[in-house]
């Protein structure tokens, strides 16, 4: 099979989408029941101007946030399923028109306008260990939904239906036992880190040029104990890189991938590795440099440019 660069890799995206859509007769359908209603679109792709909130709606959403939020910031309410369910229930009880997606978006709109009460609780910081353990799965789940539906992370997690689909995909590609809270919080951390990494990638300018060759090796060779070192890697199928990642243990990550049927469905057959023992921030900057160079299909777009969504 002849693979092309990202601009011509729609067949590869179609392959992923077909795999996600496959269900047997009688199987339950996993995704959102009505993706169009779950993520409202606008005519011909034009943005609709947001109507100003009336005072009653504004006060009701703020009251629901204060009651359900337990002092946490708005982003955390999108990550914690129980807190978000309480917020949605509070909006419904107060007679706010709309649904969970609309109410979560209103909450974010009020936060942006500086009208939400200041949070009194600071969530625990997402650690480097959590980024290493869950980041690759959260990134792929986010990216697949961005490809399929053209949604930003805020909109994915604002919709209870799409948030559930994000959770499902992350669990499919990630380690057993991770919680939805961990996957969602790591996704927000990826968004924050990716912007900084894109700037930091300039320090790895020698990797941005395709004139510097990436040496690919058979992926199963990395199961050898000699690959137990930190670094950045590029997963490849037929010599085309489809995901750039970072990890504290290359061998361990490859073992995870080869033991996961969802990753195997993507047919990884080789891997390029750049050993890096520096800080996590520098690994992420190097990852951004490789993403800018190779434009892998499954990486967060913020590693490449300043928009979360695909550019056509």
């Amino acid at each position: 099979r002849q693979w092309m660069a990202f601009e011509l890799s729609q067949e590869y995206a179609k392959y992923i989408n077909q795999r996600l859509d496959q269900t047997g007769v009688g199987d339950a359908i996993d995704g959102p029941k009505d993706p169009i209603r779950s993520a409202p679109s606008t005519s011909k792709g034009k943005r609709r101007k947001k109507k100003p909130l009336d005072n009653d709606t504004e006060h009701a959403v703020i009251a629901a946030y204060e009651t359900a939020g337990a002092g946490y910031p708005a982003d955390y309410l999108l990550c914690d399923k129980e807190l978000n369910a309480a917020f949605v229930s509070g909006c419904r009880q107060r007679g706010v028109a709309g649904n969970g997606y609309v109410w979560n978006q209103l909450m974010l709109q009020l936060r942006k306008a500086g009208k939400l009460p200041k949070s009194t609780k600071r969530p625990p910081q997402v650690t480097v260990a959590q980024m290493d353990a869950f980041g690759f799965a959260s990134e792929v789940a986010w990216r697949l939904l961005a490809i399929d539906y053209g949604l930003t992370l805020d909109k994915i997690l604002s919709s209870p239906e799409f948030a559930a689909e994000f959770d499902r995909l992350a669990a499919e590609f990630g380690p057993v036992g991770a919680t939805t809270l961990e996957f969602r919080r790591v996704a927000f951390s990826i968004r924050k880190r990716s912007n900084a990494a894109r700037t930091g990638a300039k320090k790895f300018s020698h990797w941005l040029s395709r004139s510097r060759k990436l040496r690919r090796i058979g992926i199963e060779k990395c199961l050898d104990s000699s690959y137990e070192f930190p670094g950045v890697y590029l997963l490849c199928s037929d010599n085309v890189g489809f995901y750039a990642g970072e990890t504290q243990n290359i061998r361990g990550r490859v073992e995870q991938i080869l033991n996961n049927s969802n990753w195997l469905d993507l047919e990884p057959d080789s891997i390029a590795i750049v050993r890096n023992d520096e800080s996590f921030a520098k690994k992420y900057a190097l990852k951004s440099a490789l993403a800018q160079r190779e434009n892998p299909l499954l990486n967060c777009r913020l590693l490449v440019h300043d928009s979360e969504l695909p550019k056509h």
Side-chain angles (χ1 to χ4, degrees):
R1 183 171 48 189
Q2 181 68 39
W3 290 93
M4 303 178 185
F6 173 76
E7 293 81 4
L8 301 177
S9 63
Q10 296 308 306
E11 290 302 316
Y12 194 43
K14 189 184 299 182
Y15 164 76
I16 295 172
N17 296 336
Q18 288 173 346
R19 187 190 64 77
L20 294 175
D21 290 338
Q22 287 172 350
T23 55
V25 176
D27 288 350
I29 297 175
D30 284 322
K33 293 180 181 178
D34 190 343
I36 301 301
R37 293 185 64 186
S38 299
S41 59
T42 58
S43 176
K44 297 181 181 179
K46 295 180 180 178
R47 291 182 178 271
R48 291 177 181 167
K49 293 183 179 179
K50 293 180 180 178
K51 295 180 180 179
L53 298 179
D54 61 72
N55 288 335
D56 289 343
T57 298
E58 189 173 295
H59 292 154
V61 172
I62 291 173
Y65 167 77
E66 285 184 303
T67 301
Y72 285 108
D75 281 353
Y76 192 81
L77 262 67
L78 296 184
C79 295
D80 189 302
K81 291 172 64 175
E82 293 183 2
L83 292 183
N84 194 254
F87 168 72
V88 167
S89 177
C91 290
R92 184 179 296 112
Q93 291 171 6
R94 289 169 173 81
V96 183
N99 55 26
Y101 173 83
V102 171
W103 301 327
N104 280 322
Q105 286 286 290
L106 290 178
M107 175 178 65
L108 296 180
Q109 185 179 336
L110 288 168
R111 180 194 62 180
K112 186 176 181 179
K115 294 183 178 181
L116 282 186
K118 289 186 178 181
S119 56
T120 57
K121 291 183 181 177
R122 179 175 294 181
Q125 188 173 4
V126 174
T127 66
V128 169
Q130 288 174 316
M131 290 292 292
D132 189 33
F134 316 125
F136 65 104
S138 293
E139 185 175 6
V140 169
W142 170 14
R143 179 69 177 135
L144 287 174
L145 290 174
I147 291 171
D148 283 349
Y149 303 109
L151 297 177
T152 64
L153 183 61
D154 280 346
K155 290 187 175 181
I156 290 169
L157 297 184
S158 288
S159 163
E161 293 82 7
F162 275 117
E165 181 69 354
F166 170 88
D167 297 338
R168 182 184 73 83
L169 289 169
E172 281 190 355
F173 285 91
V176 175
T179 67
T180 59
L181 180 62
E182 287 170 323
F183 282 133
R184 295 183 188 190
R185 292 205 66 217
V186 163
F188 274 116
S189 186
I190 290 171
R191 185 172 70 179
K192 182 177 180 180
R193 291 175 183 272
S194 293
N195 282 312
R198 193 174 66 249
T199 301
K202 296 175 183 177
K203 297 178 181 179
F204 295 96
S205 57
H206 53 294
W207 285 111
L208 289 170
S209 171
R210 282 184 170 271
S211 62
R212 179 160 185 169
K213 300 296 183 182
L214 284 172
R215 187 175 72 88
R216 296 175 171 86
I217 61 173
I219 192 168
E220 292 188 355
K221 291 183 178 180
C222 294
L223 293 175
D224 187 86
S225 60
S226 62
Y227 287 91
E228 291 186 347
F229 55 77
V232 178
Y233 60 90
L234 181 71
L235 287 177
C236 304
S237 180
D238 285 358
N239 290 323
V240 170
F242 62 86
Y243 179 74
E246 82 299 321
T247 181
Q248 290 298 105
N249 188 323
I250 294 291
R251 192 204 66 78
R253 178 58 46 80
V254 169
E255 185 176 36
Q256 279 184 301
I257 289 166
L258 293 180
N259 286 328
N260 184 307
S261 61
N262 298 285
W263 282 103
L264 292 180
D265 283 347
L266 303 179
E267 302 178 8
D269 53 24
S270 63
I271 187 171
I273 299 169
V274 181
R275 181 165 183 163
N276 187 290
D277 300 296
E278 298 182 89
S279 68
F280 184 82
K282 289 189 177 180
K283 288 187 186 67
Y284 229 72
L286 175 54
K287 170 180 171 174
S288 177
L290 292 184
Q292 290 176 47
R293 167 194 165 122
E294 300 290 329
N295 227 339
L297 185 66
L298 296 183
N299 281 109
C300 169
R301 292 298 86 194
L302 291 174
L303 290 168
V304 180
H305 50 65
D306 60 0
S307 171
E308 292 182 39
L309 300 178
K311 288 190 176 181
H312 300 292

